[in-house]
Amino acid sequence: MAEIKLKNVTKRWGDFVGVQAFDLDIADREFLVLLGPSGCGKTTTMRMIAGLEDPTAGDIYIGDRRVNDLDPKDRDIAMVFQSYGLYPNLTVYENIRFPLKVRKVPQAEHEERVMRASAMVELDDFLHRKPAALSGGQRQRVALARAIVRTPQVFLMDEPLSNLDAKLRVSTRAQIKNLSHELKVTTIYVTHDQIEAMTLADRVVVMKAGIVQQVGTPTEIYDQPQNTFVAGFIGSPAMNLMAGEIRDGTFHSENATIPGVSGPPGKVICGFRAEDASVAEEGQGELRAPVYSMELLGDSTMVTVRTGRDLVAVKAPKEFRAEIKAPFAAHIPAEICHVFDAESGERVV
């Protein structure tokens, strides 16, 4: 049983607050992703769970044990870092086996456990090599195997894919997803990449400046962002956010008029997803503006226009073409709109 509980966990360095009153229950076998920009407190939170940082306040439980005063080696966790942390003088086999030697696991078990971990990440053909003879993706798989071989209660992964190129990130991400399903071990994964968060997580914790902004499933966070920060951080592209005002049930912004939008009268921010809007005939549609840019994405064409100071993207069919500055119109029905308070950025509707 490896349920993790963070109770009002705070980390300060002098006047600087790294993590503020983090309160969360992480279920046994859950894959939880801490997501946010650099400096938001996600790695600090992970390091406190690992025992590499001491919380200034609050309690951390792994299972039914309060672990605040336990050394990292006594918490039964395995970490995978952004830097692979391999021993250059050891072969892949010996790198994977190393945690077993340190923890004095009986020698008779080593071969079977190393080979099982190796097979899970498809390293059987590389066991005799040293890290210098491996690609970045292979080295990361060695780091994963070294964590797997321990059979810990908890996996902690700190931006493990950030050193890999785009193609390797996709394949290694799939491998981590499959491993999570096979191993059924509670996992906390830190990333700034929202695509990793959306594809891997059972739940996502979005953080900003040490404060939790929203906790939910990827679908909940994508479909119902709690504030403009989450809306602007999640999605590729991120949610469009238009500053304007609601008058008589209609949202008004420069180049956009959307009737039927629910929300308080006055200044608001209206958000919608690029894929939820559609191209309209010239002279029709709730949004009308000159084309600012056009990007061919293969399966679609992304058209960007400007409304006031805001850039707004609409996903058009892949065969759509338009010149820069040409007139463009899009349908933005009220039911696809999200309304946020203009001052606080918090969700209104």
Side-chain angles (χ1 to χ4, degrees):
M1 182 70 174
E3 182 183 14
I4 299 172
K5 293 185 178 181
L6 304 178
K7 297 189 174 181
N8 206 36
V9 172
T10 296
K11 180 65 179 179
R12 294 190 206 92
W13 292 273
D15 293 334
F16 178 77
V17 179
V19 177
Q20 178 68 50
F22 196 116
D23 224 354
L24 187 68
D25 289 356
I26 303 164
D28 182 38
R29 303 182 179 186
E30 181 174 15
F31 196 116
L32 184 92
V33 174
L34 302 179
L35 174 68
S38 297
C40 72
K42 55 190 187 296
T43 294
T44 300
T45 302
M46 174 177 281
R47 288 175 63 84
M48 288 190 287
I49 295 168
L52 302 175
E53 296 277 359
D54 294 324
T56 309
D59 298 304
I60 300 170
Y61 290 83
I62 298 177
D64 56 3
R65 289 194 306 171
R66 182 180 179 274
V67 299
N68 289 48
D69 302 320
L70 287 183
D71 290 337
K73 66 183 176 61
D74 298 322
R75 297 191 184 196
D76 198 13
I77 58 172
M79 288 195 74
V80 180
F81 297 97
Q82 176 179 348
S83 58
Y84 317 120
L86 305 180
Y87 297 103
N89 58 319
L90 300 182
T91 63
V92 168
Y93 183 95
E94 289 298 329
N95 265 285
I96 297 172
R97 188 167 80 111
F98 192 80
L100 302 179
K101 292 170 68 176
V102 169
R103 298 177 75 83
K104 296 181 170 55
V105 172
Q107 183 85 22
E109 297 181 25
H110 288 199
E111 175 79 11
E112 181 190 348
R113 288 174 66 166
V114 169
M115 296 309 294
R116 186 174 74 93
S118 167
M120 282 186 166
V121 293
E122 300 173 17
L123 282 172
D124 289 356
D125 294 337
F126 305 97
L127 291 173
H128 63 286
R129 295 191 190 180
K130 290 187 176 178
L134 302 177
S135 69
Q138 290 162 347
R139 290 180 202 176
Q140 192 56 276
R141 277 152 50 198
V142 177
L144 284 169
R146 190 177 55 189
I148 292 165
V149 80
R150 283 262 323 277
T151 59
Q153 281 196 92
V154 178
F155 282 126
L156 303 179
M157 300 189 183
D158 189 6
E159 308 229 25
L161 308 185
S162 58
N163 287 340
L164 305 182
D165 63 41
K167 185 178 179 183
L168 270 177
R169 274 203 300 274
V170 172
S171 58
T172 311
R173 192 169 70 217
Q175 213 152 28
I176 290 173
K177 182 81 170 178
N178 184 263
L179 281 173
S180 170
H181 176 76
E182 293 293 317
L183 296 170
K184 297 178 171 58
V185 174
T186 308
T187 302
I188 300 174
Y189 186 105
V190 162
T191 184
H192 63 273
D193 185 324
Q194 51 92 19
I195 294 175
E196 283 178 31
M198 297 292 285
T199 53
L200 290 172
D202 295 322
R203 280 192 304 162
V204 180
V205 178
V206 185
M207 299 181 70
K208 176 190 176 188
I211 297 171
V212 173
Q213 302 294 305
Q214 186 171 357
V215 181
T217 65
T219 301
E220 288 167 350
I221 285 179
Y222 190 83
D223 289 344
Q224 299 288 321
Q226 194 62 44
N227 54 42
T228 51
F229 175 79
V230 177
F233 198 79
I234 297 290
S236 183
M239 182 179 285
N240 295 306
L241 297 170
M242 300 185 294
E245 61 178 334
I246 293 177
R247 299 194 304 269
D248 300 323
T250 297
F251 173 79
H252 297 271
S253 179
E254 187 177 326
N255 300 329
T257 303
I258 309 173
V261 174
S262 301
K267 291 185 177 180
V268 297
I269 295 170
C270 178
F272 69 93
R273 297 277 181 198
E275 66 270 23
D276 291 337
S278 59
V279 178
E281 295 291 330
E282 189 173 339
Q284 299 181 19
E286 292 76 22
L287 173 68
R288 301 179 204 173
V291 173
Y292 181 82
S293 74
M294 196 180 69
E295 302 162 272
L296 307 180
L297 305 179
D299 65 334
S300 60
T301 300
M302 195 68 70
V303 183
T304 301
V305 301
R306 187 183 285 282
T307 67
R309 292 181 296 176
D310 304 309
L311 292 177
V312 172
V314 173
K315 195 174 267 192
K318 62 182 180 180
E319 62 275 4
F320 181 86
R321 297 291 182 273
E323 298 294 326
I324 302 293
K325 297 185 179 178
F328 177 76
H331 282 304
I332 308 173
E335 56 267 24
I336 72 168
C337 292
H338 305 251
V339 179
F340 304 93
D341 184 88
E343 294 296 325
S344 67
E346 291 298 308
R347 184 181 190 84
V348 176
V349 178

